[in-house]
Amino acid sequence: MTQTEAHSRLMQIDAIQETLATIRSIETMRTAGWGIDHRGSFVGWVLLTGDEPASAEAAAAADAHNDVEIRTGAQHSYTELQAAQRNLAAQLFAAQSAAGIGALGNTGEEGQAAPGPPGDLEGAGIAAGVTEVVTFLETDMAGNAVRVGIDPSLAPEIGPLGSVSELSFEQGAVVIAEMLQSHIEVAFTIADGRGIAPAANFQGGEAITGYTSGFTARKSRPGGSDYGIITAGHCGGDLPTDTAAVTMNGVSLPFAYGWLSPTADAQFHRIPAPDSGSHYILDDFLCRDPASYPTPSCDVTGTEQRAEMQGDYVCHTGKKTKTSCGEVISIDHQLDWSGRPCRDVNGVDTPCEHVFVRVHGQRLKGCGGDSGGPFYRGGKAYGITAGATNRYDCTSGNKWVTFSAIKEVEAFLRAQVLTEPVTLSAP
C-alpha cells in the first residue's frame, strides 16, 4: 500500500463509521457486529443475525457507499454476546471473591473469626484457580463470539486437575475451554493472554488483601515521591510499628505509613516499579459494579472539605457489597471502638477526635472487606470507609457507615490523592 492510498483510507474512515452507525440503528435487533477491513479490500461492514437479507432501508444506506457492505449469517446478536460476556465476568468475579472471603473484624477486616453468619461464601461454580488464568474478556465481532484471553503460566491448582502452569498455551487453552463450556451460553474462543498480567492497573475501590483500596495517591519522601494506594489504617496491625504488606492485582505493596490515628483511620502502601513492563497507577476508582457496567470506573476530579459534606448524598464502593449510597448524617462523629483504640505517633492509646463522618441510607450497605474503600460523589473524593453497623451482614441495607474524611486522611498520611494517572516502568 502506498502512502497516498493509506492517507486516502484514513480520510474515509469518519464517513464509513457514520454509515455503519446508521445501519446499526436501523437493524438494532439483528446487529451482531461491525468493523472495517483494512487488509485486502478496504470496506466497512455490519454483520446481522440470520440469513434473511437486510431491510430495504438498511440496504439503501449501504448501497449509497461503495465502501460499506452488509453481511448476514451470524448466530448471536451483539446484545447477546455482551450479556454473555458480562455474565461470565460476574461468575469469574464471584469465584475470585469466594476464594478470599472471610469475616469482618472490628471495623471491616476480613479473615477473622466471626460470631455472625458467614455471608455469601458460595462462588458461581467455576473451578478455583480459573479466574487467575483468565487475563481478559472481549467481544470478537468478526468471529461472532466472546474471546477469552488466558495465561496458563498464572495457573495455581485448578479444581481436580492440579496445576496447568507447565502446560503449553495450546494445551492450557483446551483445558480452560472445557472448564468454561458450561458457564457461557454463546460461542467463545480462547486467545493468547500471555504477557498482560505483569503490567497491572491500580485504582481505588479494588480488592486488596482482606480489604478494599481507597484512592491512589502520591507521598513525598526525601529526593522524590512514592506512588501507591490508601486504605483503612486498621487493616493489619493496630500499631504505628505495623509493617504488613498487602497484595493487589498479584503485586505485593509494601507498607509505608499509617494506622488508626485520632484523626484518620488510614495507611499508605507503596506500589513498586515492576521488574519488566509497566504499572499504570490510575486516577480512577470503581464507582459501578464491573460485572454490570462496561465502564465501571470514575475519574477523581478533586477532594471535598469535611465542612462541605453535611447533608450531602454520597456513595461508597466495597469489595463485598459493591456500590451503595446514603446521606451524610454527621461530620463530627467520634469513634469509640472497644479494644481498638486510636493511637498517637508513639503508639500510645489516645481518644479518637470528632472528625469522622457518618452516613445512613435505606439502601446503604457495608460489611467485611469493605474497609478502606472509597467514599465519593461524582468524581470528587470524600473519604475512605472505616466501619459499619452489623458488619457481618453483607446483603441488607439500612446501614450506618463511618468514613475518614479525605482531607484528614491526606494530612495524616502527608499524601495527596491523584487526579492524573502515573506510569511506573521497569528500571
Side-chain angles (χ1 to χ4, degrees):
M1 182 189 305
T2 66
Q3 185 174 357
T4 300
E5 184 179 0
H7 179 73
S8 175
R9 289 187 175 189
L10 288 175
M11 296 300 291
Q12 296 177 63
I13 287 178
D14 286 346
I16 291 175
Q17 291 288 10
E18 288 180 7
T19 304
L20 299 184
T22 297
I23 297 171
R24 297 201 309 271
S25 68
I26 298 169
E27 298 284 1
T28 302
M29 300 301 295
R30 292 185 61 192
T31 296
W34 62 93
I36 300 175
D37 291 342
H38 292 270
R39 293 178 177 82
S41 60
F42 180 67
V43 61
W45 53 268
V46 175
L47 177 64
L48 304 180
T49 57
D51 296 322
E52 299 81 6
S55 66
E57 186 180 3
D63 291 343
H65 301 270
N66 58 12
D67 48 11
V68 173
E69 64 184 33
I70 297 177
R71 303 169 182 174
T72 59
Q75 181 179 358
H76 309 293
S77 70
Y78 180 67
T79 299
E80 291 170 337
L81 293 174
Q82 288 282 281
Q85 180 177 325
R86 287 195 297 268
N87 183 48
L88 180 58
Q91 293 181 71
L92 291 167
F93 184 83
Q96 182 182 42
S97 298
I101 279 179
L104 184 64
N106 286 337
T107 55
E109 181 177 358
E110 268 192 338
Q112 294 185 338
D120 53 338
L121 299 182
E122 294 298 323
I126 293 180
V130 172
T131 183
E132 297 183 43
V133 179
V134 175
T135 57
F136 69 84
L137 300 175
E138 62 188 15
T139 300
D140 176 7
M141 293 195 191
N144 196 223
V146 171
R147 186 182 291 124
V148 181
I150 68 166
D151 184 349
S153 69
L154 302 177
E157 299 292 314
I158 296 186
L161 300 180
S163 175
V164 298
S165 59
E166 296 182 1
L167 297 180
S168 68
F169 172 79
E170 290 74 17
Q171 293 171 321
V174 172
V175 172
I176 300 303
E178 290 178 352
M179 302 188 81
L180 291 179
Q181 187 68 53
S182 62
H183 298 280
I184 184 167
E185 58 273 21
V186 300
F188 72 97
T189 57
I190 301 296
D192 191 345
R194 292 172 293 182
I196 295 176
N201 288 349
F202 296 87
Q203 64 179 342
E206 290 194 346
I208 58 175
T209 307
Y211 300 91
T212 305
S213 63
F215 298 97
T216 54
R218 176 181 64 85
K219 182 174 171 60
S220 297
R221 57 172 170 77
S225 296
D226 286 327
Y227 295 92
I229 59 103
I230 57 177
T231 188
H234 69 263
C235 299
D238 66 345
L239 292 171
T241 54
D242 183 24
T243 59
V246 299
T247 299
M248 183 177 182
N249 296 330
V251 179
S252 179
L253 312 185
F255 172 87
Y257 188 81
W259 57 90
L260 174 51
S261 81
T263 59
D265 179 20
Q267 62 179 291
F268 179 93
H269 284 263
R270 180 176 60 84
I271 298 173
D275 294 331
S276 62
S278 300
H279 288 330
Y280 305 106
I281 307 175
L282 308 178
D283 59 328
D284 295 350
F285 60 93
L286 292 179
C287 55
R288 307 176 187 90
D289 184 356
S292 303
Y293 292 87
T295 307
S297 300
C298 294
D299 288 330
V300 175
T301 58
T303 54
E304 185 62 281
Q305 296 283 348
R306 184 166 56 91
E308 307 301 323
M309 298 179 186
Q310 183 66 34
D312 211 337
Y313 193 76
V314 296
C315 300
H316 84 112
T317 297
K319 72 185 226 180
K320 291 297 295 297
T321 60
K322 308 302 185 293
T323 298
S324 60
C325 308
E327 179 186 345
V328 173
I329 302 300
S330 172
I331 61 170
D332 53 9
H333 186 67
Q334 191 163 3
L335 299 176
D336 183 16
W337 294 331
S338 176
R340 201 64 176 265
C342 289
R343 300 184 185 270
D344 65 15
V345 293
N346 298 312
V348 177
D349 294 9
T350 187
C352 299
E353 296 183 10
H354 52 280
V355 292
F356 293 84
V357 181
R358 196 158 67 121
V359 183
H360 179 257
Q362 292 300 315
R363 297 184 179 181
L364 184 64
K365 299 179 181 181
C367 81
D370 286 354
S371 276
F375 257 95
Y376 51 88
R377 181 171 61 81
K380 189 167 287 189
Y382 274 58
I384 56 174
T385 304
T389 55
N390 195 12
R391 58 186 181 268
Y392 303 112
D393 175 9
C394 297
T395 58
S396 301
N398 198 29
K399 292 291 190 70
W400 299 84
V401 181
T402 304
F403 70 87
S404 301
I406 197 65
K407 291 297 186 183
E408 278 72 8
V409 169
E410 289 182 317
F412 167 55
L413 297 178
R414 297 189 291 278
Q416 295 78 45
V417 171
L418 292 182
T419 56
E420 296 290 340
V422 173
T423 300
L424 290 182
S425 300

